[in-house]
Short mmCIF file of all heavy atoms in Angstrom, two decimals:
data_model
loop_
_atom_site.label_atom_id
_atom_site.label_comp_id
_atom_site.label_asym_id
_atom_site.label_seq_id
_atom_site.Cartn_x
_atom_site.Cartn_y
_atom_site.Cartn_z
N ASP A 1315 -7.75 9.34 -14.11
CA ASP A 1315 -8.72 10.34 -13.81
C ASP A 1315 -8.18 11.66 -13.39
O ASP A 1315 -8.83 12.67 -13.52
CB ASP A 1315 -9.77 9.80 -12.80
CG ASP A 1315 -10.61 8.73 -13.39
OD1 ASP A 1315 -10.66 8.63 -14.59
OD2 ASP A 1315 -11.28 8.00 -12.60
N ASN A 1316 -6.98 11.57 -12.71
CA ASN A 1316 -6.31 12.84 -12.27
C ASN A 1316 -7.18 13.61 -11.42
O ASN A 1316 -7.27 14.82 -11.56
CB ASN A 1316 -5.76 13.53 -13.44
CG ASN A 1316 -4.64 14.56 -13.07
OD1 ASN A 1316 -4.01 14.32 -12.02
ND2 ASN A 1316 -4.42 15.49 -13.83
N LYS A 1317 -7.81 12.95 -10.46
CA LYS A 1317 -8.72 13.74 -9.58
C LYS A 1317 -8.51 13.37 -8.07
O LYS A 1317 -7.97 12.34 -7.81
CB LYS A 1317 -10.17 13.62 -9.99
CG LYS A 1317 -10.72 12.20 -9.89
CD LYS A 1317 -12.17 12.13 -10.41
CE LYS A 1317 -12.61 10.71 -10.38
NZ LYS A 1317 -13.94 10.64 -10.95
N ASP A 1318 -8.97 14.29 -7.22
CA ASP A 1318 -8.90 13.98 -5.83
C ASP A 1318 -9.80 12.85 -5.46
O ASP A 1318 -10.94 12.86 -5.85
CB ASP A 1318 -9.25 15.22 -5.12
CG ASP A 1318 -9.15 15.14 -3.56
OD1 ASP A 1318 -8.41 14.15 -3.13
OD2 ASP A 1318 -9.86 15.81 -2.87
N THR A 1319 -9.27 11.87 -4.70
CA THR A 1319 -10.07 10.67 -4.38
C THR A 1319 -10.47 10.70 -2.92
O THR A 1319 -11.05 9.70 -2.46
CB THR A 1319 -9.25 9.44 -4.72
OG1 THR A 1319 -8.06 9.47 -3.90
CG2 THR A 1319 -8.94 9.28 -6.12
N SER A 1320 -10.12 11.73 -2.19
CA SER A 1320 -10.50 11.65 -0.77
C SER A 1320 -11.99 11.55 -0.62
O SER A 1320 -12.79 12.08 -1.36
CB SER A 1320 -9.96 13.02 -0.03
OG SER A 1320 -10.45 14.13 -0.72
N ASN A 1321 -12.38 10.71 0.34
CA ASN A 1321 -13.80 10.39 0.57
C ASN A 1321 -14.51 9.57 -0.58
O ASN A 1321 -15.73 9.56 -0.66
CB ASN A 1321 -14.61 11.73 0.92
CG ASN A 1321 -14.10 12.35 2.18
OD1 ASN A 1321 -13.69 11.69 3.09
ND2 ASN A 1321 -14.16 13.68 2.05
N SER A 1322 -13.68 9.04 -1.35
CA SER A 1322 -14.21 8.16 -2.43
C SER A 1322 -14.12 6.76 -2.11
O SER A 1322 -13.42 6.31 -1.24
CB SER A 1322 -13.56 8.46 -3.78
OG SER A 1322 -12.23 7.89 -3.74
N ASN A 1323 -14.82 5.89 -2.88
CA ASN A 1323 -14.70 4.44 -2.68
C ASN A 1323 -13.30 3.93 -3.03
O ASN A 1323 -12.83 3.00 -2.34
CB ASN A 1323 -15.69 3.68 -3.54
CG ASN A 1323 -17.08 3.84 -3.00
OD1 ASN A 1323 -17.29 4.09 -1.88
ND2 ASN A 1323 -18.17 3.76 -3.94
N ILE A 1324 -12.61 4.59 -3.97
CA ILE A 1324 -11.30 4.11 -4.35
C ILE A 1324 -10.39 4.37 -3.18
O ILE A 1324 -9.54 3.53 -2.81
CB ILE A 1324 -10.80 4.90 -5.57
CG1 ILE A 1324 -11.58 4.45 -6.80
CG2 ILE A 1324 -9.30 4.72 -5.81
CD1 ILE A 1324 -11.24 5.12 -8.06
N ASP A 1325 -10.47 5.49 -2.55
CA ASP A 1325 -9.65 5.84 -1.41
C ASP A 1325 -9.96 4.89 -0.21
O ASP A 1325 -8.99 4.50 0.44
CB ASP A 1325 -9.93 7.30 -0.93
CG ASP A 1325 -8.87 7.83 -0.01
OD1 ASP A 1325 -7.66 7.60 -0.31
OD2 ASP A 1325 -9.23 8.49 0.94
N LEU A 1326 -11.17 4.53 -0.02
CA LEU A 1326 -11.52 3.64 1.03
C LEU A 1326 -10.91 2.22 0.75
O LEU A 1326 -10.34 1.53 1.61
CB LEU A 1326 -13.08 3.50 1.08
CG LEU A 1326 -13.66 2.59 2.18
CD1 LEU A 1326 -13.25 3.13 3.57
CD2 LEU A 1326 -15.15 2.49 2.07
N LEU A 1327 -11.01 1.79 -0.58
CA LEU A 1327 -10.39 0.43 -0.92
C LEU A 1327 -8.95 0.51 -0.63
O LEU A 1327 -8.29 -0.49 -0.26
CB LEU A 1327 -10.76 0.09 -2.37
CG LEU A 1327 -12.16 -0.36 -2.59
CD1 LEU A 1327 -12.46 -0.43 -4.04
CD2 LEU A 1327 -12.36 -1.80 -1.92
N LEU A 1328 -8.23 1.57 -1.18
CA LEU A 1328 -6.74 1.72 -0.96
C LEU A 1328 -6.40 1.61 0.50
O LEU A 1328 -5.46 0.86 0.89
CB LEU A 1328 -6.24 2.97 -1.59
CG LEU A 1328 -6.26 3.07 -3.10
CD1 LEU A 1328 -5.96 4.44 -3.57
CD2 LEU A 1328 -5.25 2.01 -3.72
N SER A 1329 -7.22 2.30 1.31
CA SER A 1329 -6.87 2.29 2.71
C SER A 1329 -7.19 0.93 3.36
O SER A 1329 -6.35 0.47 4.22
CB SER A 1329 -7.87 3.33 3.41
OG SER A 1329 -7.70 3.35 4.76
N TYR A 1330 -8.20 0.22 2.91
CA TYR A 1330 -8.36 -1.16 3.39
C TYR A 1330 -7.28 -2.01 3.06
O TYR A 1330 -6.81 -2.82 3.94
CB TYR A 1330 -9.67 -1.66 2.78
CG TYR A 1330 -10.01 -3.09 3.06
CD1 TYR A 1330 -10.40 -3.47 4.37
CD2 TYR A 1330 -9.74 -4.08 2.20
CE1 TYR A 1330 -10.57 -4.84 4.70
CE2 TYR A 1330 -9.95 -5.47 2.49
CZ TYR A 1330 -10.39 -5.75 3.73
OH TYR A 1330 -10.51 -7.16 4.01
N ILE A 1331 -6.76 -1.99 1.78
CA ILE A 1331 -5.63 -2.78 1.40
C ILE A 1331 -4.39 -2.49 2.19
O ILE A 1331 -3.65 -3.33 2.57
CB ILE A 1331 -5.42 -2.71 -0.17
CG1 ILE A 1331 -6.61 -3.35 -0.94
CG2 ILE A 1331 -4.06 -3.36 -0.60
CD1 ILE A 1331 -6.60 -3.08 -2.39
N GLU A 1332 -4.11 -1.22 2.33
CA GLU A 1332 -2.94 -0.71 3.10
C GLU A 1332 -2.99 -1.26 4.55
O GLU A 1332 -1.98 -1.72 5.03
CB GLU A 1332 -2.84 0.75 3.11
CG GLU A 1332 -2.47 1.30 1.72
CD GLU A 1332 -2.67 2.80 1.59
OE1 GLU A 1332 -3.25 3.48 2.58
OE2 GLU A 1332 -2.35 3.35 0.50
N ASN A 1333 -4.12 -1.27 5.17
CA ASN A 1333 -4.32 -1.75 6.54
C ASN A 1333 -4.10 -3.21 6.56
O ASN A 1333 -3.44 -3.82 7.49
CB ASN A 1333 -5.67 -1.39 7.09
CG ASN A 1333 -5.79 0.12 7.42
OD1 ASN A 1333 -4.77 0.76 7.54
ND2 ASN A 1333 -6.99 0.61 7.50
N LEU A 1334 -4.70 -3.94 5.59
CA LEU A 1334 -4.53 -5.38 5.50
C LEU A 1334 -3.01 -5.82 5.32
O LEU A 1334 -2.60 -6.73 6.02
CB LEU A 1334 -5.36 -5.97 4.35
CG LEU A 1334 -5.26 -7.56 4.16
CD1 LEU A 1334 -5.79 -8.26 5.35
CD2 LEU A 1334 -5.98 -7.83 2.86
N ILE A 1335 -2.38 -5.15 4.44
CA ILE A 1335 -0.93 -5.42 4.24
C ILE A 1335 -0.15 -5.17 5.44
O ILE A 1335 0.72 -5.92 5.82
CB ILE A 1335 -0.51 -4.62 3.01
CG1 ILE A 1335 -1.15 -5.08 1.66
CG2 ILE A 1335 1.04 -4.68 2.84
CD1 ILE A 1335 -1.05 -6.55 1.41
N GLU A 1336 -0.42 -4.14 6.11
CA GLU A 1336 0.29 -3.82 7.39
C GLU A 1336 0.04 -4.89 8.39
O GLU A 1336 1.01 -5.35 9.07
CB GLU A 1336 -0.25 -2.45 7.91
CG GLU A 1336 0.42 -2.02 9.21
CD GLU A 1336 1.90 -1.66 9.05
OE1 GLU A 1336 2.22 -1.25 7.97
OE2 GLU A 1336 2.55 -1.73 10.07
N GLU A 1337 -1.18 -5.37 8.49
CA GLU A 1337 -1.47 -6.43 9.52
C GLU A 1337 -0.78 -7.73 9.14
O GLU A 1337 -0.43 -8.55 10.02
CB GLU A 1337 -3.03 -6.66 9.62
CG GLU A 1337 -3.85 -5.60 10.34
CD GLU A 1337 -5.28 -5.85 10.40
OE1 GLU A 1337 -5.68 -7.06 10.39
OE2 GLU A 1337 -6.00 -4.91 10.37
N LEU A 1338 -0.58 -7.98 7.81
CA LEU A 1338 0.07 -9.20 7.44
C LEU A 1338 1.68 -8.99 7.47
O LEU A 1338 2.38 -9.96 7.11
CB LEU A 1338 -0.26 -9.59 5.98
CG LEU A 1338 -1.81 -9.93 5.78
CD1 LEU A 1338 -2.08 -10.02 4.31
CD2 LEU A 1338 -2.04 -11.31 6.56
N ASN A 1339 2.05 -7.92 8.02
CA ASN A 1339 3.50 -7.59 8.20
C ASN A 1339 4.20 -7.44 6.83
O ASN A 1339 5.37 -7.90 6.67
CB ASN A 1339 4.26 -8.62 9.14
CG ASN A 1339 5.42 -8.05 9.77
OD1 ASN A 1339 5.43 -6.89 10.01
ND2 ASN A 1339 6.42 -8.88 10.01
N TYR A 1340 3.51 -6.86 5.90
CA TYR A 1340 4.13 -6.46 4.63
C TYR A 1340 4.20 -4.96 4.49
O TYR A 1340 3.56 -4.30 5.26
CB TYR A 1340 3.17 -7.04 3.47
CG TYR A 1340 3.48 -8.51 3.03
CD1 TYR A 1340 3.21 -9.52 3.97
CD2 TYR A 1340 4.12 -8.78 1.89
CE1 TYR A 1340 3.37 -10.84 3.61
CE2 TYR A 1340 4.34 -10.12 1.52
CZ TYR A 1340 3.96 -11.10 2.40
OH TYR A 1340 4.26 -12.46 2.00
N MET A 1341 4.91 -4.52 3.49
CA MET A 1341 4.99 -3.16 3.28
C MET A 1341 4.89 -2.91 1.74
O MET A 1341 5.09 -3.85 0.93
CB MET A 1341 6.29 -2.55 3.80
CG MET A 1341 7.60 -3.17 3.18
SD MET A 1341 9.11 -2.61 4.06
CE MET A 1341 9.20 -0.94 3.47
N ILE A 1342 4.53 -1.67 1.42
CA ILE A 1342 4.31 -1.32 -0.01
C ILE A 1342 5.44 -0.53 -0.53
O ILE A 1342 5.81 0.48 0.06
CB ILE A 1342 2.98 -0.56 -0.17
CG1 ILE A 1342 1.84 -1.29 0.40
CG2 ILE A 1342 2.77 -0.19 -1.51
CD1 ILE A 1342 0.49 -0.45 0.52
N ILE A 1343 6.10 -1.07 -1.63
CA ILE A 1343 7.19 -0.42 -2.26
C ILE A 1343 6.71 0.19 -3.61
O ILE A 1343 6.01 -0.53 -4.35
CB ILE A 1343 8.32 -1.43 -2.53
CG1 ILE A 1343 8.72 -2.09 -1.23
CG2 ILE A 1343 9.51 -0.73 -3.23
CD1 ILE A 1343 9.28 -1.18 -0.19
N ASN A 1344 7.04 1.45 -3.83
CA ASN A 1344 6.69 2.08 -5.07
C ASN A 1344 7.98 2.22 -5.92
O ASN A 1344 8.84 2.91 -5.59
CB ASN A 1344 6.13 3.50 -4.77
CG ASN A 1344 5.71 4.21 -6.04
OD1 ASN A 1344 5.91 3.74 -7.17
ND2 ASN A 1344 5.17 5.41 -5.82
N LYS A 1345 7.96 1.46 -7.10
CA LYS A 1345 9.04 1.60 -7.95
C LYS A 1345 8.51 1.95 -9.31
O LYS A 1345 7.83 1.14 -10.03
CB LYS A 1345 9.78 0.22 -7.98
CG LYS A 1345 11.03 0.22 -8.83
CD LYS A 1345 11.76 -1.11 -8.68
CE LYS A 1345 13.10 -1.09 -9.57
NZ LYS A 1345 13.82 -2.37 -9.46
N GLN A 1346 8.77 3.17 -9.72
CA GLN A 1346 8.28 3.75 -10.99
C GLN A 1346 6.75 3.52 -11.10
O GLN A 1346 6.27 3.13 -12.15
CB GLN A 1346 9.00 3.06 -12.12
CG GLN A 1346 10.51 3.37 -12.08
CD GLN A 1346 11.35 2.59 -13.12
OE1 GLN A 1346 10.77 1.70 -13.78
NE2 GLN A 1346 12.46 3.05 -13.32
N ASN A 1347 6.04 3.89 -10.06
CA ASN A 1347 4.63 3.80 -10.00
C ASN A 1347 4.00 2.39 -10.13
O ASN A 1347 2.89 2.25 -10.62
CB ASN A 1347 3.89 4.77 -11.07
CG ASN A 1347 4.08 6.18 -10.58
OD1 ASN A 1347 3.95 6.45 -9.35
ND2 ASN A 1347 4.28 7.12 -11.45
N ILE A 1348 4.84 1.45 -9.89
CA ILE A 1348 4.44 0.07 -9.77
C ILE A 1348 4.53 -0.31 -8.33
O ILE A 1348 5.67 -0.18 -7.72
CB ILE A 1348 5.19 -0.95 -10.68
CG1 ILE A 1348 5.17 -0.54 -12.10
CG2 ILE A 1348 4.72 -2.39 -10.45
CD1 ILE A 1348 3.78 -0.61 -12.79
N PHE A 1349 3.47 -0.70 -7.68
CA PHE A 1349 3.44 -0.99 -6.27
C PHE A 1349 3.60 -2.47 -6.02
O PHE A 1349 2.86 -3.24 -6.59
CB PHE A 1349 2.16 -0.40 -5.60
CG PHE A 1349 2.14 1.07 -5.85
CD1 PHE A 1349 1.47 1.60 -6.87
CD2 PHE A 1349 2.62 1.92 -4.88
CE1 PHE A 1349 1.33 2.98 -7.11
CE2 PHE A 1349 2.57 3.29 -4.98
CZ PHE A 1349 1.87 3.80 -6.15
N THR A 1350 4.60 -2.84 -5.20
CA THR A 1350 4.69 -4.18 -4.84
C THR A 1350 4.68 -4.39 -3.34
O THR A 1350 5.05 -3.47 -2.60
CB THR A 1350 6.16 -4.81 -5.33
OG1 THR A 1350 7.12 -3.95 -4.81
CG2 THR A 1350 6.15 -4.78 -6.84
N PHE A 1351 4.21 -5.52 -2.95
CA PHE A 1351 4.09 -5.82 -1.51
C PHE A 1351 5.13 -6.80 -1.12
O PHE A 1351 5.32 -7.88 -1.68
CB PHE A 1351 2.70 -6.50 -1.19
CG PHE A 1351 1.55 -5.57 -1.47
CD1 PHE A 1351 0.32 -6.06 -1.47
CD2 PHE A 1351 1.74 -4.20 -1.82
CE1 PHE A 1351 -0.81 -5.31 -1.81
CE2 PHE A 1351 0.62 -3.38 -2.13
CZ PHE A 1351 -0.62 -3.93 -2.09
N VAL A 1352 6.06 -6.41 -0.15
CA VAL A 1352 7.11 -7.25 0.27
C VAL A 1352 7.06 -7.41 1.70
O VAL A 1352 6.59 -6.56 2.49
CB VAL A 1352 8.55 -6.63 -0.17
CG1 VAL A 1352 8.66 -6.65 -1.63
CG2 VAL A 1352 8.71 -5.27 0.47
N PRO A 1353 7.54 -8.61 2.22
CA PRO A 1353 7.47 -8.81 3.69
C PRO A 1353 8.38 -7.83 4.44
O PRO A 1353 9.47 -7.45 3.97
CB PRO A 1353 8.02 -10.19 3.84
CG PRO A 1353 8.15 -10.85 2.50
CD PRO A 1353 8.10 -9.70 1.48
N LYS A 1354 7.97 -7.40 5.56
CA LYS A 1354 8.81 -6.53 6.47
C LYS A 1354 9.86 -7.46 7.08
O LYS A 1354 9.57 -8.49 7.53
CB LYS A 1354 7.92 -5.94 7.52
CG LYS A 1354 7.13 -4.75 7.00
CD LYS A 1354 6.45 -4.06 8.26
CE LYS A 1354 5.49 -3.02 7.77
NZ LYS A 1354 4.82 -2.35 8.90
N ASN A 1355 10.98 -6.94 7.05
CA ASN A 1355 12.20 -7.63 7.65
C ASN A 1355 13.08 -6.58 8.28
O ASN A 1355 13.55 -5.66 7.51
CB ASN A 1355 12.92 -8.46 6.55
CG ASN A 1355 14.13 -9.10 7.11
OD1 ASN A 1355 14.93 -8.48 7.79
ND2 ASN A 1355 14.38 -10.31 6.66
N PRO A 1356 13.31 -6.50 9.50
CA PRO A 1356 14.04 -5.46 10.15
C PRO A 1356 15.45 -5.27 9.40
O PRO A 1356 15.87 -4.12 9.30
CB PRO A 1356 14.19 -5.92 11.65
CG PRO A 1356 13.04 -6.79 11.83
CD PRO A 1356 12.81 -7.57 10.53
N ALA A 1357 16.08 -6.34 9.11
CA ALA A 1357 17.42 -6.17 8.60
C ALA A 1357 17.35 -5.57 7.19
O ALA A 1357 18.08 -4.62 6.83
CB ALA A 1357 18.16 -7.55 8.44
N THR A 1358 16.37 -6.01 6.41
CA THR A 1358 16.11 -5.35 5.03
C THR A 1358 15.81 -3.92 5.12
O THR A 1358 16.34 -3.07 4.41
CB THR A 1358 14.99 -6.18 4.31
OG1 THR A 1358 15.38 -7.57 4.25
CG2 THR A 1358 14.74 -5.63 2.99
N MET A 1359 14.97 -3.55 6.08
CA MET A 1359 14.60 -2.16 6.21
C MET A 1359 15.75 -1.32 6.65
O MET A 1359 15.96 -0.13 6.11
CB MET A 1359 13.41 -2.10 7.24
CG MET A 1359 12.18 -2.80 6.63
SD MET A 1359 10.80 -2.83 7.83
CE MET A 1359 10.27 -1.12 7.79
N GLU A 1360 16.64 -1.80 7.59
CA GLU A 1360 17.77 -1.05 7.99
C GLU A 1360 18.70 -0.91 6.85
O GLU A 1360 19.37 0.18 6.64
CB GLU A 1360 18.48 -1.67 9.19
CG GLU A 1360 17.77 -1.56 10.47
CD GLU A 1360 17.54 -0.08 10.79
OE1 GLU A 1360 18.53 0.71 10.76
OE2 GLU A 1360 16.50 0.29 11.18
#
């Protein structure tokens, strides 16, 4: 759609998922616009 999503339902859903993933101790990795969720691990992050 190439449009601004602020204050949209899509933005709200993305925010909800991001918060949930954070609570589950996962992080979001963007590799060539494919987003994967991986567990947070201090050694991996360092």
Side-chain angles (χ1 to χ4, degrees):
D1315 288 345
N1316 200 21
K1317 60 183 174 184
D1318 182 22
T1319 60
S1320 54
N1321 298 323
S1322 73
N1323 288 334
I1324 291 176
D1325 196 43
L1326 182 64
L1327 285 170
L1328 288 171
S1329 176
Y1330 174 75
I1331 292 171
E1332 289 165 357
N1333 290 335
L1334 177 65
I1335 292 307
E1336 180 71 26
E1337 285 180 32
L1338 294 171
N1339 206 29
Y1340 275 70
M1341 59 189 291
I1342 301 170
I1343 304 299
N1344 179 357
K1345 186 175 181 181
Q1346 299 173 343
N1347 287 322
I1348 302 293
F1349 299 88
T1350 56
F1351 299 169
V1352 294
K1354 283 185 183 178
N1355 173 317
T1358 301
M1359 294 174 75
E1360 284 302 312

